[in-house]
PDB file of all heavy atoms in Angstrom:
ATOM      1  N   PHE A 300     -15.828  33.001 -14.194  1.00  0.00           N
ATOM      2  CA  PHE A 300     -15.587  33.284 -15.574  1.00  0.00           C
ATOM      3  C   PHE A 300     -14.989  32.061 -16.223  1.00  0.00           C
ATOM      4  O   PHE A 300     -13.963  31.537 -15.764  1.00  0.00           O
ATOM      5  CB  PHE A 300     -14.598  34.445 -15.733  1.00  0.00           C
ATOM      6  CG  PHE A 300     -15.120  35.784 -15.200  1.00  0.00           C
ATOM      7  CD1 PHE A 300     -14.735  36.239 -13.974  1.00  0.00           C
ATOM      8  CD2 PHE A 300     -16.031  36.514 -15.957  1.00  0.00           C
ATOM      9  CE1 PHE A 300     -15.220  37.442 -13.473  1.00  0.00           C
ATOM     10  CE2 PHE A 300     -16.538  37.687 -15.459  1.00  0.00           C
ATOM     11  CZ  PHE A 300     -16.104  38.202 -14.227  1.00  0.00           C
ATOM     12  N   THR A 301     -15.618  31.590 -17.314  1.00  0.00           N
ATOM     13  CA  THR A 301     -15.082  30.451 -18.075  1.00  0.00           C
ATOM     14  C   THR A 301     -14.690  30.940 -19.456  1.00  0.00           C
ATOM     15  O   THR A 301     -15.545  31.445 -20.209  1.00  0.00           O
ATOM     16  CB  THR A 301     -16.129  29.350 -18.175  1.00  0.00           C
ATOM     17  OG1 THR A 301     -16.503  28.961 -16.905  1.00  0.00           O
ATOM     18  CG2 THR A 301     -15.582  28.142 -18.929  1.00  0.00           C
ATOM     19  N   PHE A 302     -13.427  30.794 -19.812  1.00  0.00           N
ATOM     20  CA  PHE A 302     -12.916  31.175 -21.129  1.00  0.00           C
ATOM     21  C   PHE A 302     -12.609  29.939 -21.967  1.00  0.00           C
ATOM     22  O   PHE A 302     -12.457  28.880 -21.439  1.00  0.00           O
ATOM     23  CB  PHE A 302     -11.633  32.011 -20.966  1.00  0.00           C
ATOM     24  CG  PHE A 302     -11.862  33.420 -20.471  1.00  0.00           C
ATOM     25  CD1 PHE A 302     -11.851  33.680 -19.125  1.00  0.00           C
ATOM     26  CD2 PHE A 302     -12.117  34.440 -21.372  1.00  0.00           C
ATOM     27  CE1 PHE A 302     -12.061  34.964 -18.640  1.00  0.00           C
ATOM     28  CE2 PHE A 302     -12.361  35.749 -20.909  1.00  0.00           C
ATOM     29  CZ  PHE A 302     -12.316  35.995 -19.596  1.00  0.00           C
ATOM     30  N   SER A 303     -12.489  30.122 -23.270  1.00  0.00           N
ATOM     31  CA  SER A 303     -12.349  29.042 -24.172  1.00  0.00           C
ATOM     32  C   SER A 303     -10.943  28.449 -24.142  1.00  0.00           C
ATOM     33  O   SER A 303     -10.729  27.260 -24.396  1.00  0.00           O
ATOM     34  CB  SER A 303     -12.661  29.491 -25.627  1.00  0.00           C
ATOM     35  OG  SER A 303     -11.831  30.589 -25.942  1.00  0.00           O
ATOM     36  N   SER A 304      -9.932  29.228 -23.759  1.00  0.00           N
ATOM     37  CA  SER A 304      -8.565  28.748 -23.951  1.00  0.00           C
ATOM     38  C   SER A 304      -7.747  28.588 -22.683  1.00  0.00           C
ATOM     39  O   SER A 304      -6.900  27.731 -22.593  1.00  0.00           O
ATOM     40  CB  SER A 304      -7.769  29.694 -24.858  1.00  0.00           C
ATOM     41  OG  SER A 304      -8.413  29.790 -26.117  1.00  0.00           O
ATOM     42  N   THR A 305      -7.940  29.401 -21.685  1.00  0.00           N
ATOM     43  CA  THR A 305      -7.068  29.411 -20.558  1.00  0.00           C
ATOM     44  C   THR A 305      -7.786  29.974 -19.337  1.00  0.00           C
ATOM     45  O   THR A 305      -8.915  30.363 -19.391  1.00  0.00           O
ATOM     46  CB  THR A 305      -5.778  30.188 -20.860  1.00  0.00           C
ATOM     47  OG1 THR A 305      -4.837  29.978 -19.784  1.00  0.00           O
ATOM     48  CG2 THR A 305      -6.042  31.664 -21.071  1.00  0.00           C
ATOM     49  N   ILE A 307      -7.933  32.730 -15.952  1.00  0.00           N
ATOM     50  CA  ILE A 307      -7.569  34.116 -15.575  1.00  0.00           C
ATOM     51  C   ILE A 307      -6.278  33.981 -14.724  1.00  0.00           C
ATOM     52  O   ILE A 307      -6.158  33.105 -13.890  1.00  0.00           O
ATOM     53  CB  ILE A 307      -8.661  34.772 -14.819  1.00  0.00           C
ATOM     54  CG1 ILE A 307      -9.847  35.001 -15.679  1.00  0.00           C
ATOM     55  CG2 ILE A 307      -8.161  36.093 -14.192  1.00  0.00           C
ATOM     56  CD1 ILE A 307     -11.082  35.532 -15.030  1.00  0.00           C
ATOM     57  N   GLN A 315      -9.115  34.634 -26.729  1.00  0.00           N
ATOM     58  CA  GLN A 315     -10.062  33.903 -25.930  1.00  0.00           C
ATOM     59  C   GLN A 315     -11.473  34.343 -26.167  1.00  0.00           C
ATOM     60  O   GLN A 315     -11.701  35.484 -26.579  1.00  0.00           O
ATOM     61  CB  GLN A 315      -9.781  34.080 -24.448  1.00  0.00           C
ATOM     62  CG  GLN A 315      -8.438  33.621 -24.027  1.00  0.00           C
ATOM     63  CD  GLN A 315      -8.279  33.746 -22.502  1.00  0.00           C
ATOM     64  OE1 GLN A 315      -9.053  33.162 -21.775  1.00  0.00           O
ATOM     65  NE2 GLN A 315      -7.337  34.510 -22.089  1.00  0.00           N
ATOM     66  N   GLN A 316     -12.409  33.480 -25.941  1.00  0.00           N
ATOM     67  CA  GLN A 316     -13.853  33.807 -25.938  1.00  0.00           C
ATOM     68  C   GLN A 316     -14.325  33.584 -24.550  1.00  0.00           C
ATOM     69  O   GLN A 316     -14.057  32.557 -23.941  1.00  0.00           O
ATOM     70  CB  GLN A 316     -14.579  32.897 -26.910  1.00  0.00           C
ATOM     71  CG  GLN A 316     -16.119  32.912 -26.636  1.00  0.00           C
ATOM     72  CD  GLN A 316     -16.942  33.437 -27.749  1.00  0.00           C
ATOM     73  OE1 GLN A 316     -16.521  33.382 -28.883  1.00  0.00           O
ATOM     74  NE2 GLN A 316     -18.080  33.981 -27.386  1.00  0.00           N
ATOM     75  N   LEU A 317     -15.063  34.541 -23.990  1.00  0.00           N
ATOM     76  CA  LEU A 317     -15.709  34.394 -22.756  1.00  0.00           C
ATOM     77  C   LEU A 317     -16.964  33.520 -22.921  1.00  0.00           C
ATOM     78  O   LEU A 317     -17.933  33.953 -23.498  1.00  0.00           O
ATOM     79  CB  LEU A 317     -16.096  35.753 -22.126  1.00  0.00           C
ATOM     80  CG  LEU A 317     -16.740  35.741 -20.760  1.00  0.00           C
ATOM     81  CD1 LEU A 317     -15.915  34.974 -19.722  1.00  0.00           C
ATOM     82  CD2 LEU A 317     -16.992  37.166 -20.314  1.00  0.00           C
ATOM     83  N   GLN A 318     -16.883  32.251 -22.456  1.00  0.00           N
ATOM     84  CA  GLN A 318     -17.949  31.340 -22.730  1.00  0.00           C
ATOM     85  C   GLN A 318     -19.094  31.400 -21.724  1.00  0.00           C
ATOM     86  O   GLN A 318     -20.230  31.219 -22.037  1.00  0.00           O
ATOM     87  CB  GLN A 318     -17.367  29.891 -22.748  1.00  0.00           C
ATOM     88  CG  GLN A 318     -16.474  29.631 -23.892  1.00  0.00           C
ATOM     89  CD  GLN A 318     -15.951  28.270 -23.902  1.00  0.00           C
ATOM     90  OE1 GLN A 318     -15.691  27.650 -22.865  1.00  0.00           O
ATOM     91  NE2 GLN A 318     -15.669  27.755 -25.081  1.00  0.00           N
TER      92      GLN A 318
END
Side-chain angles (χ1 to χ4, degrees):
F300 297 101
T301 303
F302 286 91
S303 58
S304 300
T305 189
I307 294 173
Q315 300 184 57
Q316 163 118 27
L317 180 54
Q318 294 179 328

